[in-house]
Amino acid sequence: MNEDSKKPRAFPGMLPQTKPTDRPLSAATERVYDMWTPKQDPGNPFYTNFRYSRVGGIGKDESELSVSRRDPSKVLKIGDTYYVWYTRRITEHVPVGRFHIDAANDEIPVVDWDLADICYATSKDGFDWVEQGVAVPRAPKGAYGDRSLSTPDILVWKGRYYLYYQCFTTMWRENDCVGVSMAHADSPDGPWTRMDVPIVPQGAPGEWDSCAIHDPFPLVYKGKVWLYYKGSPFEKVSGGLLRAQGVAIADQPEGPFIKSELNPVTNSGHETMYWNYEGGIATLLILDGPEKDTIQFAPDGLNFQPMAHVQLSPVAPGPFCPDAFADDGDGRGITWGLSHITPPGGGSRMGCHIIRFDCDLSRDCHRPEFKRSNLHFSEESFFQRVARLPEDWRERIVAEQADFDKPTIGT
């Protein structure tokens, strides 16, 4: 036996497509096969990067400083026309912010989604939109949902249209504790009839969704209406659950909706985005939690597993999902949608506007340029207000360095 034959074999540069069983593997290589895929990002159907475009009609408008358009629904195509519904606030005053609630009133909003209605727009190409006006206004004073309506999403069921949305009945407060209601119509152009009652009840005190039922996202799945939503507990404390997502299921759009006993079905995520894929349901989780910025898949719509990491995720995305209501067990995925964007350095006080995202998450469309993962961002991305280091933090960090940083070379 020569000496070369005694040397351990180096791992091949071309990844075997099945897990090797004739050699030891590191924990990281084990995960490639047990958790991810040996096809890597270019061959992973759940991996994409996102490209963004400005849109006309409901996009950025410097002349409308006190107007906000945000939280677009999934996009529908009805005949040759695309439809989208969204949160729109038009106020004389900009929001005062959550730390100045006492300065707000019936005309002055607290946050960007305060004093808002559900509006809609149409388009022939998905880029240039025409705002059609209010679809569902706030309820009359004293009724459920009289303060603000936001985060709509759309369902089509047996030829009728159903809009689900958050309802604020009192002035916005720190915990954002609200529920979800619904309106229905025979046409996407309305008129809409509000139910003005909660559709999915908030959880009992101490439960994971005891405060918020937000961001409803309906799909038709297994012959029923599956309403995914974001929930959060009333008490947000260090070490506790910040936000997660669950699902409530009904035989018909009006309910009653029964929450899954597996809720929450995700441990992360802020706004909701789901789509039918093969025989299951896929989701993009953004912003919050240990599995943020992952695309996940559940063959049963309930038990989600991470399938890919993504960067620069769309915020409050509404995908164009043509088979969202088909319920044929053959979901084809998505290629584009709408999301919103906040001005640099913005937050709950700044007006949003809607933009378009494109991606490669469809079984029918192959876009290799959307599989690149080595993305680079401009200097403005790193030094916008929410990313750059504040001066008072800098002073504290310099003091910490003096106490904790050890020399890299001994004295």
Side-chain angles (χ1 to χ4, degrees):
M1 182 180 296
N2 61 44
E3 291 299 316
D4 289 341
S5 64
K6 298 179 182 179
K7 294 180 180 178
R9 290 176 297 135
F11 197 84
M14 183 64 70
L15 276 170
Q17 293 304 293
T18 58
K19 185 177 179 179
T21 58
D22 61 346
R23 63 182 307 131
L25 301 176
S26 69
T29 307
E30 292 268 4
R31 288 197 302 274
V32 168
Y33 295 94
D34 297 343
M35 185 173 180
W36 305 111
T37 169
K39 296 179 180 179
Q40 302 292 284
D41 287 343
N44 183 350
F46 294 100
Y47 176 75
T48 188
N49 53 56
F50 296 92
R51 302 297 180 100
Y52 295 91
S53 306
R54 296 197 183 277
V55 300
I58 54 176
K60 190 172 185 179
D61 188 339
E62 299 289 359
S63 69
E64 295 184 302
L65 297 181
S66 59
V67 176
S68 176
R69 296 176 178 87
R70 54 182 296 146
D71 309 307
S73 70
K74 69 171 72 69
V75 179
L76 298 188
K77 189 174 186 182
I78 302 170
D80 64 350
T81 303
Y82 296 101
Y83 281 75
V84 68
W85 291 261
Y86 48 92
T87 307
R88 188 186 72 176
R89 173 183 57 79
I90 298 181
T91 53
E92 182 178 349
H93 304 276
V94 297
V96 296
R98 64 189 68 194
F99 300 113
H100 302 281
I101 291 176
D102 291 341
N105 56 35
D106 287 347
E107 296 181 352
I108 301 176
V110 180
V111 288
D112 191 40
W113 52 94
D114 192 17
L115 298 177
D117 302 292
I118 305 303
C119 288
Y120 79 113
T122 58
S123 173
K124 295 298 185 181
D125 63 5
F127 287 92
D128 293 309
W129 294 83
V130 177
E131 186 164 74
Q132 300 294 342
V134 174
V136 183
R138 284 162 276 172
K141 193 71 174 177
Y144 184 74
D146 64 353
R147 176 72 186 186
S148 190
L149 307 180
S150 64
T151 66
D153 210 272
I154 188 74
L155 167 72
V156 181
W157 177 270
K158 297 181 179 179
R160 303 197 75 219
Y161 297 83
Y162 299 84
L163 272 172
Y164 299 84
Y165 43 81
Q166 290 174 214
C167 286
F168 293 82
T169 304
T170 58
M171 186 181 296
W172 188 93
R173 296 293 175 182
E174 182 179 0
N175 279 322
D176 221 3
C177 291
V178 298
V180 163
S181 192
M182 183 263 283
H184 53 85
D186 293 322
S187 163
D189 297 294
W192 296 88
T193 300
R194 287 193 312 262
M195 292 188 68
D196 289 346
V197 294
I199 296 297
V200 179
Q202 291 161 281
E207 295 181 349
W208 76 280
D209 58 357
S210 57
C211 172
I213 306 291
H214 285 181
D215 299 282
F217 196 104
L219 294 172
V220 178
Y221 186 55
K222 299 183 179 179
K224 298 178 183 291
V225 179
W226 288 48
L227 190 68
Y228 291 93
Y229 65 93
K230 176 183 76 179
S232 65
F234 186 84
E235 295 293 337
K236 296 180 177 64
V237 296
S238 176
L241 184 67
L242 176 61
R243 296 179 185 89
Q245 295 176 12
V247 65
I249 302 169
D251 292 323
Q252 55 189 6
E254 298 86 352
F257 281 92
I258 307 300
K259 297 178 183 179
S260 170
E261 63 181 6
L262 295 182
N263 282 353
V265 297
T266 77
N267 60 34
S268 303
H270 199 91
E271 296 99 352
T272 52
M273 173 172 149
Y274 291 80
W275 64 97
N276 305 70
Y277 194 86
E278 294 186 331
I281 302 294
T283 183
L284 168 66
L285 302 178
I286 67 166
L287 292 179
D288 294 320
E291 293 177 356
K292 59 183 172 293
D293 292 321
T294 62
I295 291 176
Q296 304 199 1
F297 178 68
D300 59 358
L302 297 170
N303 290 286
F304 287 90
Q305 293 290 336
M307 305 301 291
H309 294 286
V310 292
Q311 299 180 70
L312 204 63
S313 302
V315 177
F320 172 59
C321 189
D323 53 10
F325 317 124
D327 195 27
D328 60 3
D330 190 36
R332 308 305 299 181
I334 60 173
T335 59
W336 70 278
L338 300 175
S339 62
H340 75 225
I341 190 169
T342 305
S348 62
R349 294 186 61 190
M350 303 293 288
C352 294
H353 61 272
I354 292 175
I355 60 175
R356 172 180 167 131
F357 69 86
D358 282 85
C359 60
D360 182 17
L361 292 168
S362 169
R363 297 165 63 192
D364 303 318
C365 186
H366 180 55
R367 296 174 168 175
E369 65 271 23
F370 284 78
K371 296 295 189 182
R372 298 169 186 161
S373 56
N374 189 9
L375 305 180
H376 298 274
F377 304 102
S378 69
E379 181 178 345
E380 288 76 14
S381 298
F382 293 94
F383 289 102
Q384 60 174 301
R385 184 181 65 82
V386 295
R388 71 173 182 263
L389 191 70
E391 284 298 319
D392 57 336
W393 293 17
R394 177 174 171 173
E395 294 173 4
R396 188 193 74 211
I397 288 170
V398 169
E400 290 172 349
Q401 287 177 184
D403 291 335
F404 298 112
D405 288 5
K406 295 181 173 62
T408 53
I409 300 174
T411 56

